[in-house]
Amino acid sequence: MLRRRLNRLFGGDEGRVHSRTIYVGHKSCPPNEAYIPPKFCDNRIVSSKYTVWNFLPKNLFEQFRRIANFYFLIIFLVQVIVDTPTSPVTSGLPLFFVITVTAVKQGYEDWLRHKADREVNEYRVSVLEDGRRIRKMSAKIKVGDIVEVEEDETFPCDLILLQSSRDDGTCFVTTASLDGESNHKTHYTVADLESDLQYLSSTIECEQPQPDLYKFVGRMHIYRNSQEPDVRSLGPENLLLKGANLKNTQKICGVAVYTGMETKMALNYQGKSQKRSAVEKSINAFLLVYLFILVSKALVCTTLKYVWQGKHDEPWYNEKTQKEKDTNQYLKMFTDFLSFMVLFNFIIPVSMYVTVEMQKFLGSFFIAWDKDFFDPEIQEGALVNTSDLNEELGQVEYIFTDKTGTLTQNNMEFIECCIDGFQYKHGDGSSELDGFCVTDGPVNKIQQKAGREREELFLRALCLCHTVQIKESTMHRQDQIDQIDQIDQVDGLGVDHEFLHPPQKETGFIASSPDEIALVKGAMRYGFTFLGLESKNMKILNRNKDVETYELLHVLNFDPVRRRMSVMVRSKTGDILLFCKGADSSMFPQVRQEEVERIRMHVERNATEGYRTLCVAYKHLNAQEYARADADLREARLALQDREEKLMAVYNRVETDMILIGATAVEDQLQDEAAQTMEALQGAGMKVWVLTGDKMETAKSTCYACGLFKKNTELLELTLRTLEDGGRSREERLHDLLLEYHKKAVQDAPPVKLGITRSWSVAGHDYGFIIDGASLSMVLSSSSEPNSRRYKNLFLQICQNCTAVLCCRMAPLQKAQIVKLVKNSKGNPITLSVGDGANDVSMILEAHVGIGIKGKEGRQAVKNSDYAIPKLKHLKKLLLAHGHLYYVRIAHLVQYFFYKNLCFILPQFLYQFFCGYSQQPLYDAAYLTMYNICFTSMPILAYSLLEQHICIEVLLEHSTLYRDIAKNAMLRWKLFLYWTALGIFHGLVFFFGVRFLFSNPALQDNGQVFGNWSYGTIVFTVLVFTVTLKLALDTRHWTWINHFVIWGSLAFYVFFSFFWGGIICRPFLKHQRLYFVFANMLSSVSAWLVIILLILLSLLPEILLVVLRKPRGPHARQKKSSAGDPQSPQSSARPLLTRTFSDESNTVI
């Protein structure tokens, strides 16, 4: 006892045991035992990364982990320490600018996190202490506090529900911020507690904090006088999670069990792993090439310097000092090498990182501002959670999509039902009999019906086997009864005339699943109305207007393993009934087999038509059976260890030997323009895989409706059904099927034509592949490792040669496994996952790009996604227009930056051959510093934000244009080498063109000659004008912003040069090398002539390509006027893109 108390005092018990003990209201239990408050964490939430004290060192450390930043830091330190030809300001100022901008951005983002944390932690909540209700900050809540929460408020921590304002001891919550489910969930108070919690004396023993939202195991010991404590089981139905909202309940009281960073919400929070785009990888590869060029230049100049000094005597005007003569020769050579590295270091564009960051950040606003993404239904548009992947939207090769809520609307409507093998369908225009249309069923029993007793039993099951609640504020029972009175009776079966015009109060139902509401409404149309649950009594209004009352004994909750849910109820006559509903695959083994065949064909037909199906069964329980089930359930619910396994065993034992009554069909309609969107994405060269938890028939029907499968598509099926055919073991059958499908889809497929990378681009046989979760498990985890590896390779090759792939009966983890498998396959294709529910989060996080749909399954997918859109149809424009343009823009930005820096430094390198390798800079320090920051930065930034080389309408109409930029087409080595060659050509023209001018000794009117600073200034002037005008020639979409930054940058350069050359202030005199140099230069007609001629000579190849090349397709801007042109997209749109790329790269593709 003493050891336990000491451990509890110092918090040592939590680290060694699997449970914690909580004293409700901080009262000792039993009352005669001393109370020692246990140590638990407080309720503060901390999601921020920095504090005021560690921001500077931590942020600097993180930034200098980037190779480019660290490189420039080393260069800056070399300039400070070693006597280099350029000032430390030339590299220090750009580095300071980059570090500052990045730090401000990251600091602002962290300030927003601090602000959000502060709002949460300072939120005022009500806590009951000694019978008094006091208000305190959320951060000050402690484990054991009794917290009061009112309707629409958010739970400040994880609470055990003790008291509710509802008579039946329940409350409703929404957990959209946690698991993505926006539907109402029902939670229950602990039974038989004191009405006044001030007098409650109890302890709670529960598991240690763990992140599973759906798992909680605990028990409550209630002490009354000197009696033995009463024990109550606690489960997930008693736990209210932090972040959830209270709905349709005035107020509740609960005791805090997990607080702060130990709440399930905090434990589930994980920072998204940093995703890197293909462009970033290309930048790093290009940087290595330019770093090699830099080192090569420095080595060449260092070597030639000492070769030159060995052949020439030391000039009299530059004699070495005694200190220089005494310096070690190798040390001097190393110092010279560093000096040349510093002189040429501007070939590495450090400012490119800032420009890329700004382009991504500012560019993301164009997605959020796009009016086409605005959805009037939810009054929201697109959302950008990360701006680092904008260009990746233009490189997608594989799309993995969920079905329910993504391809479909997740808007359930009851279509029909089957009772005892007879189909009951309402109002489809066919022949009707007694309010039900009978178009199916046994041939010899056409237009017959099941017995009246079976009909009532089926409809009664629909009204009782669910977790639906009535929302009190919108629908009262008398209103419902009055409404039902308006329903006509035909042969005793209710036919609701408002079926085609649903009543206005449809929001009166609350449930955790839209399927359940659809089933309850379906029963209501046929004469049985659920009136609500009061004090464990469920009431329904039958078709005779009589109210039936059933005592709810137990709810056997739905879980994804059983895929069933059941209720035990007792009628007024004392009969105990078990009603069960679930998926056909989980229900058929649990029922008597003689009823299965009568229902199976209806279920399969409904699934083929794309409906969601559920089977309904019942069972009579005698007193002994119920007593045993009741005892087993209570015992299992009190267990702290393996509670779920014990409950599952009881559920499976009770749900056996049931009688199958019938089945239901619920329709989930396709999203708007789903088929057109899928067609456009496939036309763009993307392969679409559907990953769903639904049954194969339903998902297959959806794929046909979306156009993913065509009528002539041959389906290759790898499911449990096909594995069990043939009478052999599943492993052998799996091996044979994979080999057979591989021969069909891969070995016997026609060869792919040159330049076509997608299998469906060639005329041939189309294949579709279907696999279920169980078969996928066998493929991914075969009993032998060599087989598993071989199966994975065969599976991938088959799928990659199919037009579409359907993976059904998938668990969330399996979805992520498939995405990872494809992502890491040969060629590392770019993957995109799109989904709308919490079960899609794993694949959204796994893919290169994650898209969340703002659907009806909450916002968990949206919160974990990189981009969020209201509807699936918006994916078309997001990829084909925004993605295409973002990639072209940033690819041009990267190539252009390397090009203009090579133009900048090559004359500096060539100048060393004419100055004795003395490390004499060609440009003034101000020009070295300002070139990338001011003179050439804004035009390329504007281009990378606004350029539209093809207008958006053409990109959307001709989806095949997307293929031309696939696989990082604009950042391949061929184009990189072209831009490098162009930079070398321009650098040579700049340097030797000006040198040719200087062959005339007298360039000024007064006969004076130009000096070396004039030489460098003329080269720099030609450089700035040429690279800026080169970008102007590349621009296809001109706006006033482009005009302003391009011509404004040139004007600013001229103004700055005049201003800088005119400064005579004393602090600048020491480094003032350009005093009136620029003005004197422009006074020479020869200088003017050579500047203009060199600019024209440099751009002449570019101008000739633009002017002389014969257009081979209508310009994008003339799309509307040429809409009547009979040319196909392949004959008009593709040459347009080819011509545009040719314009940008000066190469004919």
Side-chain angles (χ1 to χ4, degrees), residues 404-424:
T404 306
T406 305
L407 291 175
T408 60
Q409 295 181 11
N410 200 14
N411 184 17
M412 309 300 175
E413 182 182 355
F414 186 90
I415 298 298
E416 64 179 64
C417 61
C418 162
I419 305 175
D420 255 6
F422 297 92
Q423 182 193 19
Y424 289 73

Side-chain angles (χ1 to χ4, degrees), residues 411-418 458-468 499 509 511 513-530 540 558 565 580-583 606 611-617 662-667:
N411 184 17
M412 309 300 175
E413 182 182 355
F414 186 90
I415 298 298
E416 64 179 64
C417 61
C418 162
F458 178 82
L459 296 173
R460 210 169 270 122
L462 295 187
C463 283
L464 295 173
C465 187
H466 56 70
T467 57
V468 176
F499 173 73
F509 291 118
S513 168
D515 296 76
E516 293 200 318
I517 295 179
L519 295 179
V520 170
K521 288 182 177 179
M524 182 177 173
R525 290 168 184 162
Y526 298 144
F528 273 72
T529 305
F530 175 61
I540 60 176
F558 175 87
M565 73 89 60
C580 181
K581 69 181 180 188
N606 288 333
Y611 299 142
R612 297 163 64 92
T613 59
L614 286 176
C615 294
V616 181
T664 62
V666 175
E667 183 181 23

Side-chain angles (χ1 to χ4, degrees), residues 607-901:
T608 303
E609 293 172 355
Y611 299 142
R612 297 163 64 92
T613 59
L614 286 176
C615 294
V616 181
Y618 83 102
K619 178 182 180 181
H620 277 285
L621 297 175
N622 58 38
Q624 292 79 10
E625 289 174 328
Y626 172 70
R628 183 189 173 193
D630 180 64
D632 290 346
L633 286 169
R634 293 182 186 278
E635 180 184 351
R637 285 170 178 158
L638 284 175
L640 277 184
Q641 300 294 327
D642 303 323
R643 178 185 292 185
E644 291 183 354
E645 290 77 6
K646 293 176 181 177
L647 281 173
M648 188 75 67
V650 178
Y651 291 168
N652 289 329
R653 188 168 62 248
V654 173
E655 295 170 337
T656 55
D657 198 30
M658 297 184 292
I659 300 172
L660 190 62
I661 320 173
T664 62
V666 175
E667 183 181 23
D668 190 4
Q669 296 178 344
L670 283 181
Q671 288 272 10
D672 296 339
E673 302 178 27
Q676 296 91 319
T677 301
M678 291 297 106
E679 182 183 3
L681 296 178
Q682 281 193 321
M686 292 173 246
K687 295 190 177 182
V688 181
W689 292 32
V690 179
L691 313 181
T692 178
D694 270 0
K695 59 176 65 68
M696 184 187 74
E697 291 79 9
T698 306
K700 187 163 68 174
S701 176
T702 303
C703 288
Y704 274 113
C706 289
L708 296 176
F709 292 159
K710 309 290 184 184
K711 288 184 178 180
N712 62 342
T713 302
E714 182 179 348
L715 298 181
L716 310 177
E717 186 179 325
L718 188 65
T719 61
L720 280 182
R721 184 173 64 82
T722 56
L723 290 179
E724 290 172 353
D725 292 344
R728 286 181 296 168
S729 69
R730 290 182 178 178
E731 187 84 18
E732 294 175 349
R733 183 69 175 148
L734 175 68
H735 180 266
D736 293 344
L737 281 176
L738 284 174
L739 289 179
E740 177 189 339
Y741 294 159
H742 185 269
K743 187 175 185 303
K744 268 188 181 182
V746 182
Q747 296 176 14
D748 296 344
V752 178
K753 294 180 182 178
L754 184 64
I756 299 179
T757 58
R758 271 49 174 213
S759 62
W760 59 80
S761 301
V762 292
H765 202 65
D766 283 343
Y767 291 100
F769 192 75
I770 301 176
I771 189 171
D772 62 8
S775 303
L776 180 69
S777 297
M778 295 179 64
V779 170
L780 297 181
S781 56
S782 177
S783 54
S784 63
E785 183 63 29
N787 277 353
S788 178
R789 197 179 304 113
R790 188 180 180 208
Y791 290 166
K792 286 180 186 177
N793 291 334
L794 288 172
F795 169 70
L796 268 177
Q797 290 177 34
I798 294 168
C799 292
Q800 288 169 348
N801 280 272
C802 292
T803 56
V805 177
L806 168 61
C807 304
C808 50
R809 300 297 197 193
M810 290 285 117
L813 183 59
Q814 287 181 311
K815 292 183 178 184
Q817 287 176 331
I818 284 198
V819 175
K820 186 175 182 179
L821 188 67
V822 175
K823 187 173 75 169
N824 296 331
S825 63
K826 184 179 179 181
N828 300 113
I830 304 300
T831 58
L832 179 145
S833 292
V834 53
D836 71 319
N839 60 331
D840 303 316
V841 169
S842 56
M843 73 171 183
I844 285 174
L845 292 176
E846 184 62 47
H848 291 95
V849 183
I851 307 290
I853 302 290
K854 298 180 178 180
K856 297 183 178 181
E857 294 190 23
R859 294 302 172 90
Q860 195 71 2
V862 170
K863 287 189 173 184
N864 287 275
S865 65
D866 302 305
Y867 303 88
I869 51 179
K871 295 286 176 62
L872 178 73
K873 64 180 181 181
H874 299 136
L875 187 63
K876 177 181 175 181
K877 185 175 184 181
L878 184 67
L879 298 183
L880 302 188
H882 286 285
H884 187 119
L885 293 174
Y886 279 129
Y887 173 75
V888 171
R889 291 164 181 168
I890 201 167
H892 196 282
L893 182 151
V894 171
Q895 301 278 28
Y896 178 79
F897 249 100
F898 282 107
Y899 149 78
K900 73 184 182 72
N901 276 35

